[in-house]
Amino acid sequence: MKLVFLGPPGAGKGTLAAKATTLFNAPHISTGNIFREAIAAKSPLGVKVKAVIDAGKLVDDAVTIELVRERLAKDDVKTSYILDGFPRTIAQAEALTTFSRVDTVINFDVPDSVVIERLSGRLVCRKCGFNWHKSFNPPQKDNFCDECGGDVYIREDDKPEAVKKRLEVYREQTAPLIEYYRSKGLLVDIDARPQVDIILENLKKALRRP
Ligand code: ADP
Ligand code: ZN
């Protein structure tokens, strides 16, 4: 099953994808994670995209498309994957049709007020990428991840100015993908307000999975 996870920043795509990857036995491909790893490693790609990402803007289409095209050429994603954070523009969606065929696009729906609440308290593990939240889901030990013991930090692009920018970018460039995929009959809407386990149950039902 080839899935795309669509939704505003803070919809919980990353958290949900991390669980769904085991559930559906489909590799999780997060362009955001790939970029953050590149930045941490100070690779040429990382150096190139750091400022753009920190400011809450999108990396340019050509770079992002090439990255995903190469990743989707690997053997482990021949029959299934979860694409999280790609496509984010119509141009990316059009490019995707030239190298892969998506089965279903999940639109994780959540109001702006919830997005802002979630992003403004988000803490990310530097080692395993797990998403914690200062008030809703804090790690037991301050500043350390319960999953792996790594240290947790606030993403540069989760700071208020960048969050504002990301929501703007989402509305202008990514939200049009909802109608784009709906008109192709590929879209499934999922309410992203409940707790993760409930969302996953709803997702399984929507995809008619046991
Ligand atoms: P979020 O938590 O907002 O869903 P991600 O972790 O998916 O964010 O991505 C973080 C940042 O990485 C984005 O704000 C953007 O700068 C960059 N990025 C990720 N995916 C894409 C993409 N498909 N096209 C352009 N830029 C991207
Ligand atoms: Zn961790």
Side-chain angles (χ1 to χ4, degrees):
M1 194 173 32
K2 299 179 173 177
L3 299 177
V4 165
F5 279 12
L6 194 67
K13 296 186 298 291
T15 305
L16 292 161
K19 301 228 174 196
T21 188
T22 347
L23 222 53
F24 299 155
N25 193 19
H28 174 202
I29 303 174
S30 158
T31 42
N33 285 351
I34 296 173
F35 288 138
R36 277 186 292 279
E37 280 161 20
I39 291 171
K42 298 193 167 68
S43 73
L45 174 68
V47 171
K48 183 147 120 191
V49 302
K50 183 176 189 317
V52 174
I53 289 183
D54 284 353
K57 297 180 198 158
L58 292 186
V59 175
D60 75 60
D61 280 338
V63 170
T64 310
I65 289 165
E66 188 49 26
L67 184 89
V68 175
R69 201 183 59 74
E70 279 172 23
R71 179 63 186 87
L72 290 187
K74 301 208 169 134
D75 280 346
D76 63 324
V77 288
K78 282 238 158 68
T79 56
S80 60
Y81 57 68
I82 298 172
L83 264 185
D84 158 20
F86 183 94
R88 254 181 164 89
T89 64
I90 297 281
Q92 291 179 10
E94 290 286 340
L96 180 59
T97 64
T98 69
F99 53 81
S100 191
R101 223 193 74 202
V102 169
D103 297 311
T104 305
V105 177
I106 315 293
N107 176 38
F108 292 103
D109 204 12
V110 61
D112 278 7
S113 54
V114 175
V115 163
I116 292 166
E117 214 172 53
R118 287 183 182 172
L119 293 182
S120 56
R122 177 157 73 176
L123 301 165
V124 182
C125 174
R126 209 180 292 279
K127 206 160 141 201
C128 75
F130 192 90
N131 282 208
W132 300 95
H133 191 284
K134 251 191 276 190
S135 1
F136 308 141
N137 184 26
Q140 302 239 309
K141 266 204 296 173
D142 272 356
N143 307 324
F144 292 101
C145 175
D146 293 348
E147 298 281 317
C148 78
D151 64 322
V152 299
Y153 74 109
I154 297 171
R155 269 167 51 173
E156 197 57 42
D157 62 345
D158 280 346
K159 296 183 176 163
E161 267 317 292
V163 166
K164 222 177 110 214
K165 184 71 197 168
R166 280 159 68 205
L167 279 173
E168 246 172 67
V169 169
Y170 172 76
R171 253 179 242 118
E172 281 167 19
Q173 307 206 54
T174 309
L177 289 174
I178 297 172
E179 290 319 313
Y180 174 90
Y181 282 123
R182 201 187 300 284
S183 72
K184 294 184 187 293
L186 294 178
L187 202 79
V188 169
D189 290 295
I190 295 282
D191 183 353
R193 285 171 303 178
Q195 289 181 344
V196 171
D197 290 345
I198 296 170
I199 300 174
L200 283 171
E201 280 309 313
N202 293 338
L203 180 60
K204 280 196 274 185
K205 272 184 226 150
L207 296 171
R208 293 195 192 79
R209 285 281 177 130

